[in-house]
């Protein structure tokens, strides 16, 4: 069958520099960091003490109190973002066929918080003291299932776990489901609540986190010579993807079109990118082919603020766009909100949709002294107005799970 | 702990779990029929009662508790057995 066109009709986001699309977009275009000293757990023994904690987020604002009490924090983010996105989409779920609406979410880590709490209970007091809600709260697929249960959505229901690419992979797979007619609407995105003692400690042990504890807002500095690792953060995003014809028929406001998706593997290493960026280049080229495009007007880079990523990604962008690469503006959302693992690709997709809508590129903050090996236009410090028809978002996960998505201006 | 004290505690646990007032729960309230507690809800409820009273309810006894009164009777019996097993003061 011929592929159907797919558009974005709703957005929801929870990030450490803004809860809700408007607050988040204002912070991003103003170059406002959401990174702060971590107080969610004890960091005394850890070398890194900064992160992107979401503050002032009240789950009960977006879901019944009873639900809020029974799910883990990563599901709070999913349900809140779904609520925001559905409201914006104007979908009348009572009038829709629930079997045609899917939920496809990404999460790299699942219900870590409750998991750790219950591990402590099991070791301290015996395995017979584990809470009977543990299975339901810890399962990574709880986020898609709980969104499905809350809104009665009976189409495809999946959670994809490809580390830092989870959210982007989920959006890509939802795009395919609608393109090929398995669903007409999908709630899709990614969530993560990784700021826990064990998980944060594990990333510290890997020595990939910034130790710039004296200057939290300056800790995440992609492409900058002074970078010393990434900053871990929490959050989530949900997009409403919808088959284009039906969205137009119901008079939905179309925010952007999703036009290309590709995923691949570098088959190289569990935590190192392929140093020449060959796999990253292949996935970007494949997404361009999928969209029928030759170039894009903006790239929201994966840009983690690690030397390994930033240099390989720069090489990949050069390999794909050749002489045109220096003329393509690139920026890093992670410079402001850090790295939210399975949520990152989805939050960055929200940035791409907003950038197309507003024709405005949020900056890469903290880029004071560019790494000579990173020699492209990373839109330093301040946002920039630009004419954009097509944009790309890159996500590269640990284990070499690579994803590129393209979005195009609503037409 | 007297039976009325046990019943009050059980009603408080149930009320917090169900999000209703303890006064809406009576001794003869049936868990499934009157309070809408499904089998997973019952497992969770028994876990909370185990935590509150410090006992372990074996799987074989779970079928014995179908109402608030059943839970109180069960806990009464358990407390009495425990008191009998303790050395005299």
């Amino acid at each position: 069958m011929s592929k159907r066109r797919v558009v974005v009709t709703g957005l929801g986001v929870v990030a450490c520099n803004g809860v809700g699309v408007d607050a988040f977009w204002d912070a991003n275009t103003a170059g406002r960091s959401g990174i702060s000293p971590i107080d969610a757990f004890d960091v005394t023994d850890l070398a890194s003490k900064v992160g992107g904690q979401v503050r002032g987020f009240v789950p009960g604002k977006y879901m019944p109190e009873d639900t809020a009490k029974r799910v883990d924090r990563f599901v709070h983010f999913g349900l809140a973002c779904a609520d925001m996105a559905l409201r914006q989409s104007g979908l009348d779920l009572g009038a829709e066929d629930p079997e045609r609406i899917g939920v496809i979410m990404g999460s790299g880590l699942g219900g870590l918080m409750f998991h750790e709490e219950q591990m402590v209970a099991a070791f301290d007091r015996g395995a017979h003291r584990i809470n009977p809600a543990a299975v339901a709260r810890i399962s990574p697929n709880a986020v898609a299932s709980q969104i499905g249960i809350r809104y009665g959505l009976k189409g495809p229901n999946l959670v994809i776990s490809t580390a830092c690419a989870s959210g982007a992979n989920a959006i890509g797979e939802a795009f395919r489901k609608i393109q090929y007619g398995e669903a007409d609407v999908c709630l899709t995105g990614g969530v993560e609540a990784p700021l826990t003692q064990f998980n944060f400690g594990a990333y510290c042990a890997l020595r990939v986190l910034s130790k710039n504890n004296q200057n939290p807002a300056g800790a995440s500095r992609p492409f900058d010579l002074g970078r010393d690792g990434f900053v871990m953060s929490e959050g989530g995003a949900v997009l409403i993807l919808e088959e284009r014809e039906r969205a137009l028929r119901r008079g939905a406001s179309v925010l952007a079109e999703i036009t290309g998706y590709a995923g691949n593997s570098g088959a190289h290493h569990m935590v190192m990118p392929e140093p020449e960026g060959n796999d990253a280049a292949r996935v970007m080229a494949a997404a361009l082919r999928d969209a029928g495009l030759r170039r894009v007007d903006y790239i929201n880079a994966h840009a983690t603020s690690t030397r390994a990523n930033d240099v390989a990604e720069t090489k990949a962008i050069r390999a794909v766009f050749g002489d045109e690469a220096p003329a393509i503006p690139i920026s890093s959302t992670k410079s402001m909100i850090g790295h939210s693992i399975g949520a990152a690709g989805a939050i960055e997709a929200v940035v791409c949709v907003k950038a197309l809508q507003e024709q405005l590129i949020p900056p890469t903050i903290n880029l004071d002294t560019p790494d000579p090996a990173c020699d492209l236009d990373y839109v330093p410090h301040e946002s920039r107005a630009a004419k954009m028809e097509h944009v790309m978002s890159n996500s590269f996960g640990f284990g070499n799970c690579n994803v590129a998505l393209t979005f195009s201006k609503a037409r | 702990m007297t039976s009325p004290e046990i019943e009050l505690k059980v009603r408080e646990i149930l009320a917090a779990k169900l999000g209703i007032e303890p006064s809406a729960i009576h001794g003869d309230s049936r868990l499934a029929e009157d309070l809408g507690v499904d089998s997973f809800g019952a497992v969770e409820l028994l876990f909370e009662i185990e935590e509150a009273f410090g006992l372990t309810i074996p799987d074989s006894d779970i079928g014995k508790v179908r109402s608030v009164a059943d839970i109180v009777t069960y806990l009464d019996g358990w407390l009495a057995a425990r008191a009998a097993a303790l050395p005299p003061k």
Side-chain angles (χ1 to χ4, degrees), chain A residues 8 36 86 89-90 111 121 149-150 173 205 215 224 228 247 262 274 283 293 303 325 359 362 375 381 385 395 398 405:
Chain A
V8 182
S36 59
L86 278 170
S89 76
I149 291 164
R150 167 106 174 83
E173 295 301 319
N215 179 18
D224 187 87
D228 71 334
E274 195 277 312
V283 86
L293 296 174
Q359 298 285 292
D375 53 356
H381 305 302
S395 298
F398 272 174
L405 295 167

Side-chain angles (χ1 to χ4, degrees), chain A residues 3 15 31 51 71 92 155 233 281 284 343 358 367:
Chain A
K3 289 193 284 189
V71 301
D92 175 8
S233 62
M284 292 163 67
E358 309 293 337
L367 182 45

